[in-house]
Amino acid sequence: MRLESPREIQLPDMCNGELQGEGMSNMEVFTVALRRSKMNSAGLREKWSFTRHMNPSMCPVFSLGLRWWATWEFSKHEPPNLLDRTEYYDRYLLYTTNSNEQLLEKTQSDALRAVYDKVGISSSSLTHTRRRCGARMLEAKEVDLPSINQAGHWNESTMTSVYLSGHNRPALRAMSGFEKIKGAYYLPRATVTPTRHIGQQLFGWVDRAQETLNKRIGTDEQDLAGLGLIKCIKFVRKAFIQDLAIIQDDFPDLKPFNHSELFKGDLWKDFRKEVECAHYVAQENGTAYLQTFQHIPEISQALQQSAATMMNFRNDVMAQMT
């Protein structure tokens, strides 16, 4: 994504969904649809997609969740009113004080430069640094050139820009830290669903808005776009909570751990143990699964189907209990 593109994102531009058949866990994809960019003067819809990373500290979904937590929970900015379309349709993802005003280019550049200085990155360019690094990361993973072009929206054809889904699976797998081959995606921490009580400790207004909008379905006031945005926010919230459980030992001074009661109770401790168990124990199983997949694909397909069935059963039981 180009440097100016994140500044263009508004809340209704976002959605999420699942790509099945990617491994022992389905690949949940976060997508942004933009009609405004440097190379898109015709106003065509461009889809930018990313998914959860194998390493929580490198996960873009976690970063988005941290941004929202800092904005809505820590800084106490007013969250979007999802019951009124006019209230959230023009809200930007990135802003300083007024959510209806786009973040200034200088503000973004200064913040990015400060990050580079903090971690010791020396670069004469801000605009193309991330895109260049992204392309080289895919190249290092031996992703083919057409997939890299599609992922970066370089030299797009009518077929890729109009008729295809916009989800380049080999690029998504590689950028998420997995092998580029189909079936390699395996995210154990995503199998542990936060309890309803834990989930509602963050962005609880989302659940209340969902209850109201569900009652409006079938009436003149129904808002499918609002429900879609709620689904997107809840996906980010779930991923954020799961990733926090993994990185707490490495980043104990991260602000959420010191400014929220959620992370101080027994419920969080129990949930964190469950996530850590799934994450660290299953990492070894994931390596064995990938080796099996590469050599005996028929067995891996059976394992994949069994894992999906067990995961669905577990989620059904957890939903009934909460």
Side-chain angles (χ1 to χ4, degrees):
M1 185 174 284
R2 301 175 182 89
L3 184 64
E4 72 275 6
S5 296
R7 300 199 309 272
E8 299 279 355
I9 300 174
Q10 294 178 309
L11 295 187
D13 297 328
M14 305 181 303
C15 66
N16 72 291
E18 287 189 354
L19 298 181
Q20 298 183 351
E22 285 298 319
M24 291 183 67
S25 55
N26 289 335
M27 179 185 288
E28 296 180 278
V29 178
F30 190 99
T31 302
V32 175
L34 290 178
R35 296 184 183 273
R36 308 166 297 276
S37 71
K38 177 181 178 182
M39 304 300 294
N40 186 17
S41 59
L44 300 176
R45 185 175 64 173
E46 290 183 349
K47 288 184 179 179
W48 299 88
S49 301
F50 56 88
T51 188
R52 299 180 65 180
H53 199 281
M54 177 190 295
N55 184 344
S57 62
M58 296 178 63
C59 182
V61 182
F62 171 77
S63 297
L64 180 56
L66 185 61
R67 164 71 186 185
W68 280 347
W69 178 87
T71 301
W72 297 329
E73 301 284 339
F74 181 70
S75 299
K76 302 300 182 182
H77 286 206
E78 190 69 24
N81 179 8
L82 301 177
L83 303 181
D84 185 354
R85 300 176 188 177
T86 62
E87 176 70 20
Y88 69 82
Y89 259 43
D90 294 327
R91 289 184 67 130
Y92 284 93
L93 175 65
L94 302 178
Y95 63 92
T96 49
T97 55
N98 188 344
S99 60
N100 291 327
E101 293 182 0
Q102 185 181 130
L103 186 71
L104 295 177
E105 179 181 2
K106 185 179 185 305
T107 303
Q108 182 193 26
S109 298
D110 290 346
L112 189 57
R113 178 64 69 187
V115 172
Y116 283 10
D117 293 341
K118 183 71 173 180
V119 298
I121 296 177
S122 178
S123 174
S124 60
S125 171
L126 286 176
T127 305
H128 296 287
T129 300
R130 296 179 304 163
R131 285 171 63 76
R132 180 171 61 246
C133 290
R136 290 181 178 179
M137 288 175 64
L138 294 179
E139 181 186 32
K141 286 277 190 175
E142 298 183 348
V143 175
D144 60 86
L145 185 59
S147 294
I148 297 177
N149 279 330
Q150 184 183 355
H153 293 276
W154 287 295
N155 304 322
E156 281 192 307
S157 65
T158 301
M159 180 183 68
T160 57
S161 62
V162 177
Y163 296 110
L164 298 185
S165 67
H167 303 310
N168 188 280
R169 296 194 182 211
L172 283 171
R173 297 175 199 130
M175 288 299 291
S176 302
F178 299 89
E179 297 298 323
K180 64 177 181 179
I181 57 176
K182 183 178 180 180
Y185 191 83
Y186 183 49
L187 203 67
R189 65 185 187 276
T191 64
V192 184
T193 302
T195 64
R196 185 174 181 179
H197 176 77
I198 290 178
Q200 291 182 343
Q201 294 297 305
L202 294 177
F203 315 153
W205 45 270
V206 173
D207 303 283
R208 295 188 291 272
Q210 185 177 34
E211 292 179 3
T212 301
L213 290 184
N214 282 336
K215 296 177 182 178
R216 295 180 182 179
I217 295 177
T219 71
D220 293 338
E221 294 183 313
Q222 80 170 10
D223 184 5
L224 298 181
L227 287 171
L229 180 56
I230 287 174
K231 180 185 173 204
C232 183
I233 295 174
K234 292 182 72 172
F235 158 63
V236 174
R237 178 178 68 178
K238 181 185 72 172
F240 180 57
I241 292 174
Q242 291 167 337
D243 290 355
L244 282 173
I246 299 299
I247 70 171
Q248 187 168 5
D249 282 339
D250 294 330
F251 303 96
D253 295 328
L254 200 65
K255 289 188 182 295
F257 298 130
N258 300 318
H259 292 81
S260 177
E261 294 298 321
L262 166 64
F263 307 106
K264 300 176 182 178
D266 291 335
L267 283 177
W268 172 254
K269 293 179 181 178
D270 293 339
F271 171 74
R272 185 184 169 203
K273 289 180 181 178
E274 189 175 0
V275 175
E276 287 180 327
C277 179
H279 180 72
Y280 293 113
V281 174
Q283 275 185 338
E284 299 179 3
N285 297 336
T287 301
Y289 163 76
L290 183 55
Q291 293 173 345
T292 302
F293 172 83
Q294 292 172 326
H295 298 290
I296 315 176
E298 292 81 5
I299 294 180
S300 83
Q301 292 295 331
L303 290 172
Q304 185 174 325
Q305 293 175 0
S306 298
T309 301
M310 294 177 62
M311 191 184 306
N312 291 334
F313 176 75
R314 179 189 182 283
N315 290 339
D316 290 341
V317 172
M318 292 297 295
Q320 294 176 8
M321 293 177 62
T322 56

